[in-house]
Amino acid sequence: MAVPVAFFAVFFAYPVAAIVARGLKADGAWRLGRIGEVLAQSDVRHVLWFTGWQALASTALTLLVALPGAYVFARFDFPGKQLLRAVVTVPFVLPTVVVGTAFLALVGRGGLLDELWGVRLDTTVWAILLAHVFFNYAVVVRTVGGLWAQLDPRQEEAARMLGASRLRAWRQVTLPALAPAVAAAALMVFLFTFTSFGVVQILGGPTFSTLEVEIYRQTSQLFDLSTAAVLTMVQFAAVAAILAVHAWTVRRRETALRLVDAATTARRPRGAGQWLLLAGVLGTVLVLLVLPLAVLVQRSLGAPGFGYYRALTEEDGGAFLVPPIEAIGNSLQYAVAATAVAVVIGALAATALTRRDAGRFVRGFDALLMLPLGVSAVTVGFGFLIALDEPPLDLRSSWILVPLAQALVGVPFVVRTMLPVLRAVDGRLREAAAVLGASPWRVWREVDLPMVRRALLVAAGFAFAVSLGEFGATVFIARPDNPTLPVAVARLLGRPGDMNYGQAMALSTILMLVCAVALVVLERLRTDRSGEF
C-alpha cells in the first residue's frame, strides 16, 4: 500500500488541496462563509439538481443498452468479434468535445435526423443522454463482459436441469456472481456522467450545465476561484459519499467464484432467439456507435485531395508551435508512460485490497482510489500548476507531468477491472501454495497472475485508451510545443474557419484509427489460448 498511498497523496490530494485553499483563502484568512453564499444561489442549485439526475438517467440507460452487448461478447463466438470489440471501445477514448460535436452533427440543426425526418434533439436532454451512452457503452461491455466470460456456464445449466427457467437461472445464479462487476461498471459510468464536461458544454448550450462545466466557467471565463473552489468541494463530497456506499455494498456481495478460461465459454449462437439477440446488438452498435464515427470520417474528407490531412503537416504559427501532426507521437509516448504507471500503481493497490486480513484503512482506500474520476479535471490541472512548481517537486517543465495526470485517471480502471477477479480467486489456493513453502511473491506469480492475466491486459488496455483521450487536466499542463491529440483537437475546434474545423475532424479520425489499431492488438493478446486457468 505504501506506493499507491504515496502516489495519490503527492499527485492528487496535494494539488487538489492547493487549488481549493487558493480559492477559499483571502489575505491569509479562510472565507468559510463563502460556501453558504454560493450554495444559496438558485442557478447553482439548478446545476446541482441537473448534474445528479442526468447522471442517474445516463447510467440506467447505459446499463439497459450495454448489458446485452456484454453477454454477446462474453458468450458468443462469431466472425469479426475482435474487430467489433475494438470498434466498441474506440468511442470511449475520443475526447468528449469530439463526441459532442459528432452528435451535434447528427441531431442538431442541419444534422442527419433534421435532414431525414425534420427532428432535432440538440435542444433536449436526450442528446446528452445518448451521447453519454455512446461514450460509456464500452465500460459496461468490458467490465461486465470480462468477468461474465470467465464464469462457468455449467452452474447456470445445472439450475436449468433442476427445473429453473432461463430467466430464473440467470437471476439467481449468474446475476449475483456478476453483481460486483455490474456495480463497478455502473459506478464508473455514473462518475463519468456526473463530471461530464465536453458533451454537456456542446450539446447542453445555455440550458443545461453540470458541475464540471460550471467549475470550468467560473475558473477560465469568470476567474472566480472562490466559487469554483466551493463547487469543487461539493463535487468532491458527493463523489466521496457515493464511493463509500459503493465500497460497503460491493464488499458484502463479493465471494469466491468458479472461474474458467474465457476461450472455452464462447460458442456460436444457437437458435433463432440467440441469432436475434446478436443481430440486435450489432444493430445497436451500428446506429449508436458506428454512425457518429462515420460522421467524423466523412467530415475529415470534406476538402478535396485530403486537404485537411495535408494541412496537419504545416505550421500555421497560431494555435501550435509545431505541425499538428506531431501530436500523434506525443500522445502515444505519453499514453505508454501513463499506462505503465497506472498498471504498477493499480496492481499493487488491487493486490493489497484482496487481503482477507486487510485493515479498515486499506478497505477505505478502495473508495479513495475512485476519487480522481469524480473530481474536476480542471481542478486537478490547475492544482498541478500551483502545487508542483517548487523544489523538490518542480515538474512544470518536465514531460512526466502529463503522464502522471493521465495515470491518475487510469489507476481506477486498473483497480476496478482487476479487483473482482482477484477477489474471486479461491483463497485456499493461496493457502495451499504457502503451506507447500511458496513465498508470497511466488504465490502471486504462480496462483494469482495466471488467473488475473486476462484482467491485467484488459486493465492495461483501458489505461492506455483513457490516457489517449484524457483532455480536462492535460489541456492545462501540456506544453505548446508538445500537444496531445485531444488538446490539438480542442484548439482547432476553438478557432473559426472551415479549415480549422476540418483539421479537427482529421485529427479525431487519426485518433480513432490509432486507438482501433492498439485495441485490435490488445484483443489478439487477450485471446491468446496458450495459457490455461
Side-chain angles (χ1 to χ4, degrees):
M1 288 296 297
V3 176
V5 169
F7 178 80
F8 275 85
V10 174
F11 298 111
F12 177 68
Y14 177 46
V16 171
I19 189 65
V20 171
R22 178 72 64 92
L24 292 181
K25 267 190 174 182
D27 299 327
W30 288 94
R31 302 169 55 198
L32 299 181
R34 181 60 178 162
I35 299 177
E37 296 175 2
V38 172
L39 297 180
Q41 301 175 14
S42 59
D43 56 340
V44 171
R45 292 198 300 270
H46 176 74
V47 169
L48 292 174
W49 174 82
F50 176 76
T51 301
W53 87 258
Q54 67 82 25
L56 288 173
S58 297
T59 303
L61 187 60
T62 302
L63 289 175
L64 180 65
V65 174
L67 280 177
Y71 174 78
V72 166
F73 280 104
R75 294 302 196 202
F76 291 172
D77 187 18
F78 52 90
K81 180 179 177 179
Q82 294 183 23
L83 177 61
L84 187 64
R85 195 194 301 269
V87 170
V88 165
T89 309
V90 166
F92 180 72
V93 303
L94 292 177
T96 54
V97 290
V98 177
V99 175
T101 303
F103 268 82
L104 192 65
L106 289 176
V107 302
R109 181 185 298 275
L112 182 62
L113 293 182
D114 191 15
E115 292 179 354
L116 295 179
W117 299 292
V119 177
R120 290 181 55 193
L121 299 177
D122 58 321
T123 57
T124 70
V125 74
W126 279 106
I128 296 175
L129 297 182
L130 291 175
H132 283 163
V133 175
F134 168 89
F135 191 74
N136 294 291
Y137 187 91
V139 175
V140 178
V141 170
R142 289 281 196 171
T143 306
V144 179
L147 180 59
W148 206 336
Q150 292 183 263
L151 293 181
D152 192 344
R154 291 175 293 183
Q155 299 180 44
E156 189 172 324
E157 293 170 1
R160 293 289 308 280
M161 293 181 63
L162 293 174
S165 64
R166 185 180 299 274
L167 177 60
R168 185 180 180 185
W170 181 83
R171 181 169 52 86
Q172 296 187 349
V173 177
T174 304
L175 183 58
L178 289 175
V182 173
L187 174 68
M188 286 189 283
V189 173
F190 182 86
L191 288 179
F192 278 124
T193 53
F194 188 82
T195 59
S196 183
F197 174 57
V199 169
V200 178
Q201 186 180 39
I202 293 177
L203 298 178
T207 306
F208 304 110
S209 179
T210 58
L211 272 171
E212 186 84 357
V213 174
E214 189 63 21
I215 291 172
Y216 176 80
R217 190 175 74 90
Q218 295 290 339
T219 303
S220 302
Q221 299 178 9
L222 303 181
F223 304 103
D224 188 349
L225 286 183
S226 63
T227 299
V230 171
L231 296 179
T232 297
M233 293 174 63
V234 171
Q235 184 171 317
F236 187 88
V239 170
I242 295 167
L243 293 176
V245 173
H246 167 80
W248 180 74
T249 56
V250 170
R251 189 169 56 248
R252 291 169 61 93
R253 293 181 180 180
E254 286 178 334
T255 57
L257 304 173
R258 182 178 180 182
L259 301 182
V260 297
D261 187 354
T264 64
T265 62
R267 53 178 172 76
R268 293 186 65 84
R270 292 180 296 190
Q274 293 187 356
W275 282 107
L276 185 61
L277 176 61
L278 176 59
V281 170
L282 293 177
T284 300
V285 171
L286 180 64
V287 174
L288 185 63
L289 305 184
V290 176
L291 189 57
L293 299 181
V295 171
L296 293 180
V297 176
Q298 183 271 330
R299 295 204 171 190
S300 72
L301 299 174
F306 299 94
Y308 294 144
Y309 290 91
R310 286 189 284 108
L312 295 177
T313 62
E314 304 172 359
E315 295 186 31
D316 62 358
F320 303 98
L321 300 180
V322 296
I325 197 70
E326 293 191 11
I328 300 174
N330 297 333
S331 289
L332 291 176
Q333 294 174 18
Y334 289 145
V336 170
T339 300
V341 174
V343 167
V344 171
I345 300 298
L348 289 173
T351 302
L353 291 171
T354 58
R355 290 288 300 269
R356 303 298 180 186
D357 57 347
R360 184 173 300 177
F361 170 76
V362 176
R363 293 194 299 267
F365 193 62
D366 184 8
L368 295 178
L369 287 169
M370 299 296 293
L371 285 178
L373 298 182
V375 173
S376 169
V378 175
T379 301
V380 175
F382 268 120
F384 267 47
L385 295 178
I386 292 175
L388 306 179
D389 63 342
E390 296 179 358
L393 287 175
D394 187 1
L395 302 178
R396 288 175 301 174
S397 59
S398 174
W399 67 272
I400 196 64
L401 199 62
V402 173
L404 288 174
Q406 295 173 343
L408 280 174
V409 184
V411 169
F413 282 95
V414 176
V415 174
R416 293 262 63 89
T417 303
M418 294 185 62
L419 203 53
V421 178
L422 276 172
R423 284 178 170 164
V425 176
D426 194 337
R428 292 173 296 182
L429 296 175
R430 301 189 184 102
E431 295 170 0
V435 169
L436 293 174
S439 64
W441 164 245
R442 188 175 180 183
V443 171
W444 158 255
R445 180 167 51 89
E446 298 190 9
V447 176
D448 292 83
L449 184 58
M451 298 292 288
V452 303
R453 182 178 58 238
R454 185 173 187 271
L456 185 63
L457 289 173
V458 173
F462 259 133
F464 183 80
V466 170
S467 300
L468 279 178
E470 204 286 324
F471 169 70
T474 307
V475 69
F476 295 102
I477 57 180
R479 295 183 302 187
D481 58 340
N482 285 288
T484 64
L485 276 170
V487 172
V489 170
R491 290 178 182 173
L492 288 169
L493 286 175
R495 303 175 67 188
D498 292 338
M499 179 58 69
N500 290 318
Y501 186 81
Q503 289 184 75
M505 294 300 101
L507 274 181
S508 300
T509 302
I510 293 174
L511 174 57
M512 177 185 68
L513 294 176
V514 170
C515 295
V517 171
L519 292 169
V520 168
V521 173
L522 177 65
E523 287 303 312
R524 296 185 66 87
L525 294 175
R526 288 176 64 244
T527 54
D528 181 8
R529 303 187 182 186
S530 60
E532 297 294 336
F533 292 161

